[in-house]
Amino acid sequence: MKKRWIVLMVFLGLAVFLAASPDCNAKDPIKVGIIRALTGAAADGGRSQVEALKFVYDQVNKEGGIGGRKIEYTIADSKTDPDTSKKLATRFIEVENVLFISGGTGSSECMAINKYAAMKKVPVFGHGHAMGLHKPPMGRWYFASEANAVETSKSILPILKQDGYNKIGMISVNHITGRTSLDLVKKFAPDFGLELVGSVPVDLGAAEATAEVSKVKATNPEAIWLFTFSRSTAAVAKALKALAWDVPIYALTLTAIPATKIIGTEPFEGWRFIAWSNNDAPEVVAVVKEYEKRYGKKPTEVGYFMGTYAATLVQIHVMKTMVEKGIPITRASLRDGMEKYSGGVQVPIPKPRVTKAYGDPPHMLIKAEDFIALEMKNGKLSTY
Amino acid sequence: METFLLLLFIGVGLGSIYGLVGLSLVSVHNATGLFNLAQGETIMLGALLAYGLVSVAGIPYPLSILLILIGAVVLGLLINWIMVSPLLKRETPHVTIVIGTYAVSMIIVGITGEITDYGFVAPPPILSMNQYKIGFFPIVPQYGAAIIAALILSVSYWYFINKTYSGWALKATSINADMCKLLGISSAKMIALSFAIAAVIGALAGVVSGPLGHANAEMGFPLLLKGFISAVVGGMGNPLAAMVGGLFIGILHIIISGYFAPGYAELAVFLFLILTLYIRPHGLLGVRE
């Protein structure tokens, strides 16, 4: 009698274990926990990313899923807050037993999610580009939908040199990402024959920014590399007017385009940008049109949308490849699969191209050489 | 030197906004002994409505400002009617009422945030944001608009308090409400009036400050904090002292931002506050009651 009970308990335990495993049954849905900023400072970016994820996952499900398995996604709002992000990651991993997490929107959220997820050996697909995310042990489990700070810095410096400048200034956002980027530009500028003559971190108000930018103006740089986010970009644009300083500005499209929504395109006329998405390119327009046709509205921010869209295409390609090769999709195998099978995917950004496999960390969809250079003319961005 | 003069001008402009917020806090405090923590939301609504009415609805600025001021009066009276007056009548401890005003603030932020998706907008400037020169002195007209608004409002407030019957009644209510009742002055009306005045000053501070940065549902509290510091530095009981406090804080903030690292500006403001309280506990122009 006692023996029978032991056997029963073992069977029950096994059943519970298998049911709890995220990859127990080939026909079970693939559970995805999406953590993005739907409110707070990064909400525009987060919403655009969620729109891209829904766009791709809904299409995959419509076409029958991955090897017959539907993608079951749950969307949660990080509120642009690392603590909330960590709590959500814990819930997704421990309670909802997701296969992987798609999150977060900014580096600080990604860091909070990834610290826990890497400990639990759960892959994370995020948008943050802080270098810490790519360092071991976190970097092994983190897949970025864009470049990291090193790649971004390396992408702008050759463009500045190519455009004929020797002495540059840098204005960066006043937090860890900005300071890290400033350190990287200081480090790499001499390699490209550039001298960084002045730099300053800026705050969010135009009054403060005017005071801060005046310090860089005093160093007489020939051009400025602006590494700021949307609100600080808007503040700098106003500061330049207040200072009556007409200097060539190079910035990231991703932050400048949201800034144009705040203060219009006029202050950005003549600015040059490095971009991972040319929103006016026919391939990008086609994707946006398809989205609009399906959901009856445009994506919130096309740049953020396209970054996540392309990265999710790669992720889907990897899972489909694994199914074709008969590799069970588990958290660990997906991580390995992302390194091995992420090449050969046709993506529309920064320009239409076929991806290379991620390989060893850092895992990034976009590298320095992929960025494109754009210029704002008559309120529109175009290559120059 | 030119940059220094420009930064000084901008500092005075920014300080004028802080001073206006401080003035609005003092006007309620003097009538009720309370701090209205929902005051920041009148600033926020002023800025957001300026964007909505001028940029979205295309209503000319003067008419928009008039509509905003009417809205501000209604909001100020509502805050008083819903939260403050009923609790004052029941002789609720002041700290409880202050917490109540914070709850009102959170509700206004929540509703506005839901309506606007917590998005950031920049209300159009009343005057240009470009640099101009008067002789050798560089100015940015929009900061000038803030300075002019602060001058007009603080002088008007001084005149109202010191030269009109209603102003005397308001002042008297703050000194001895019971005696005022015996003299036929309605303290309830005076308190309502102080809330309406504070809301008007706050909304105008929002209208002039919005174009200098960006407006969203959560912009009120940081400005409220700066206004509070201005009022404390200047001297809590004295409305015009709040303006002086604001000017000190604004100039200090900008000059430190311009000549030191940005983080030091906030640090300098709080150090200045501590130093002022240490040397003059009642503020720069405050007097012991």
Side-chain angles (χ1 to χ4, degrees):
Chain A
M1 185 68 180
K2 195 180 171 188
K3 201 174 165 187
R4 227 194 298 168
W5 268 108
I6 291 169
V7 172
L8 189 65
M9 291 307 287
V10 168
F11 268 107
L12 269 175
L14 200 60
V16 168
F17 173 76
L18 285 174
S21 167
D23 36 76
C24 63
N25 188 330
K27 295 298 169 196
D28 276 353
I30 292 171
K31 283 187 167 185
V32 182
I34 298 173
I35 304 171
R36 303 283 172 157
L38 303 179
T39 54
D44 272 3
R47 283 180 198 159
S48 316
Q49 291 160 6
V50 168
E51 285 159 1
L53 290 163
K54 284 173 75 173
F55 183 51
V56 177
Y57 290 155
D58 289 352
Q59 184 61 30
V60 169
N61 285 339
K62 203 174 154 190
E63 289 166 2
I66 293 167
R69 294 174 71 184
K70 292 281 168 86
I71 296 173
E72 187 182 291
Y73 58 84
T74 310
I75 300 164
D77 179 10
S78 73
K79 298 176 181 168
T80 322
D81 174 44
D83 287 341
T84 308
S85 303
K86 192 193 165 186
K87 281 177 197 157
L88 290 168
T90 311
R91 191 190 91 196
F92 277 136
I93 293 168
E94 302 298 346
V95 182
E96 305 203 12
N97 211 19
V98 297
L99 179 72
F100 63 86
I101 286 177
S102 179
T105 299
S107 291
S108 54
E109 300 154 68
C110 287
M111 199 71 92
I113 294 166
N114 212 13
K115 267 184 190 165
Y116 188 75
M119 199 171 71
K120 294 287 178 176
K121 297 188 173 10
V122 177
V124 174
F125 297 81
H127 184 76
H129 64 275
M131 291 193 318
L133 287 162
H134 295 280
K135 287 181 183 162
M138 279 197 284
R140 265 178 60 75
W141 296 89
Y142 182 65
F143 297 88
S145 57
E146 44 138 324
N148 67 10
V150 173
E151 299 298 314
T152 310
S153 302
K154 282 185 174 174
S155 71
I156 183 61
L157 296 172
I159 293 172
L160 283 162
K161 188 68 189 174
Q162 199 179 307
D163 287 357
Y165 303 110
N166 295 311
K167 292 182 176 183
I168 59 163
M170 181 169 176
I171 298 170
S172 53
V173 63
N174 187 21
H175 74 40
I176 181 105
T177 311
R179 287 193 286 273
T180 307
S181 294
L182 176 60
D183 289 343
L184 290 167
V185 168
K186 273 181 191 164
K187 186 180 165 188
F188 295 131
D191 298 346
F192 294 91
L194 292 164
E195 187 189 351
L196 183 68
V197 292
S199 63
V200 70
V202 289
D203 286 314
L204 296 174
E208 294 89 334
T210 306
E212 287 147 6
V213 172
S214 73
K215 285 187 275 192
V216 183
K217 188 187 175 191
T219 63
N220 287 318
E222 293 164 356
I224 292 289
W225 165 227
L226 187 65
F227 190 88
T228 49
F229 296 151
S230 51
R231 283 180 291 154
S232 39
T233 304
V236 170
K238 287 179 182 176
L240 292 168
K241 286 193 160 203
L243 288 164
W245 190 23
D246 190 18
V247 63
I249 299 282
Y250 288 74
L252 285 164
T253 47
L254 202 69
T255 60
I257 300 303
T260 64
K261 282 193 172 177
I262 301 174
I263 58 171
T265 56
E266 191 271 327
F268 302 97
E269 203 59 26
W271 283 31
R272 290 180 170 179
F273 302 93
I274 56 163
W276 68 63
S277 173
N278 177 3
N279 298 353
D280 295 328
E283 297 78 11
V284 174
V285 171
V287 175
V288 171
K289 268 192 180 166
E290 179 57 30
Y291 178 86
E292 209 175 341
K293 195 173 132 193
R294 219 189 289 170
Y295 296 93
K297 58 167 189 166
K298 280 190 175 166
T300 308
E301 278 296 340
V302 175
Y304 283 106
F305 175 89
M306 289 307 297
T308 305
Y309 168 77
T312 313
L313 288 185
V314 174
Q315 181 197 84
I316 296 297
H317 169 82
V318 168
M319 288 195 281
K320 282 186 173 171
T321 308
M322 288 171 72
V323 169
E324 278 168 21
K325 289 181 181 291
I327 303 168
I329 304 175
T330 66
R331 288 167 174 173
S333 71
L334 178 60
R335 194 213 75 82
D336 295 343
M338 284 301 298
E339 286 190 347
K340 284 182 203 160
Y341 310 124
S342 46
V345 186
Q346 181 70 41
V347 289
I349 59 162
K351 44 193 170 275
R353 67 192 174 111
V354 174
T355 58
K356 290 178 194 161
Y358 281 124
D360 293 333
H363 307 125
M364 288 172 285
L365 181 67
I366 294 162
K367 298 270 172 84
E369 62 271 21
D370 298 324
F371 280 89
I372 50 174
L374 301 172
E375 188 175 35
M376 179 80 81
K377 274 184 184 167
N378 303 319
K380 287 237 166 213
L381 286 171
S382 54
T383 49
Y384 71 93
Chain B
M1 186 60 183
E2 190 185 305
T3 304
F4 176 77
L5 290 175
L6 177 70
L7 296 187
L8 195 64
F9 183 78
I10 288 174
V12 172
L14 193 66
S16 300
I17 293 162
Y18 295 159
L20 280 176
V21 181
L23 177 64
S24 70
L25 283 169
V26 169
S27 72
V28 167
H29 183 261
N30 280 355
T32 61
L34 293 168
F35 291 111
N36 173 18
L37 296 185
Q39 189 58 37
E41 301 351 305
T42 61
I43 306 162
M44 175 269 285
L45 288 172
L48 283 183
L49 284 173
Y51 172 79
L53 293 172
V54 180
S55 297
V56 180
I59 298 170
Y61 236 128
L63 182 58
S64 297
I65 290 174
L66 186 68
L67 292 172
I68 290 166
L69 294 187
I70 293 167
V73 169
V74 172
L75 179 69
L77 293 176
L78 268 177
I79 293 171
N80 175 52
W81 182 60
I82 292 170
M83 178 54 62
V84 180
S85 276
L87 296 183
L88 277 175
K89 268 182 201 161
R90 288 181 221 167
E91 296 185 350
T92 309
H94 277 192
V95 68
T96 310
I97 305 175
V98 172
I99 297 295
T101 62
Y102 184 65
V104 172
S105 155
M106 289 292 98
I107 290 167
I108 296 171
V109 171
I111 293 170
T112 313
E114 285 306 314
I115 293 169
T116 60
D117 276 346
Y118 291 90
F120 291 94
V121 295
I126 299 168
L127 300 174
S128 171
M129 290 289 288
N130 292 332
Q131 190 192 111
Y132 293 86
K133 280 196 177 150
I134 298 174
F136 65 92
F137 201 103
I139 64 153
V140 179
Q142 179 61 31
Y143 292 95
I147 297 167
I148 292 165
L151 267 175
I152 292 172
L153 285 172
S154 51
V155 169
S156 303
Y157 187 79
W158 176 87
Y159 184 84
F160 169 75
I161 285 290
N162 293 300
K163 302 286 177 188
T164 65
Y165 174 79
S166 298
W168 293 335
L170 191 69
K171 216 158 51 169
T173 305
S174 69
I175 295 165
N176 193 332
D178 292 333
M179 181 60 78
C180 286
K181 272 181 201 165
L182 292 175
L183 294 171
I185 298 168
S186 165
S187 62
K189 278 185 187 166
M190 288 301 114
I191 289 169
L193 180 64
S194 74
F195 269 83
I197 291 169
V200 163
I201 297 170
L204 276 173
V207 170
V208 290
S209 70
L212 301 180
H214 35 261
N216 95 327
E218 293 169 316
M219 70 175 279
F221 194 77
L223 271 173
L224 181 81
L225 188 63
K226 287 280 166 58
F228 188 72
I229 294 171
S230 304
V232 172
V233 164
M236 204 59 216
N238 183 346
L240 296 187
M243 289 302 309
V244 174
L247 291 178
F248 267 98
I249 298 297
I251 293 168
L252 183 70
H253 197 103
I254 292 302
I255 295 297
I256 297 288
S257 292
Y259 293 95
F260 298 91
Y264 289 111
E266 289 291 321
L267 188 71
V269 167
F270 285 100
L271 275 176
F272 185 67
L273 171 69
I274 292 169
L275 201 67
T276 308
L277 290 179
Y278 190 75
I279 297 167
R280 289 188 61 85
H282 298 282
L284 294 173
L285 302 180
V287 285
R288 191 190 296 266
E289 282 177 23

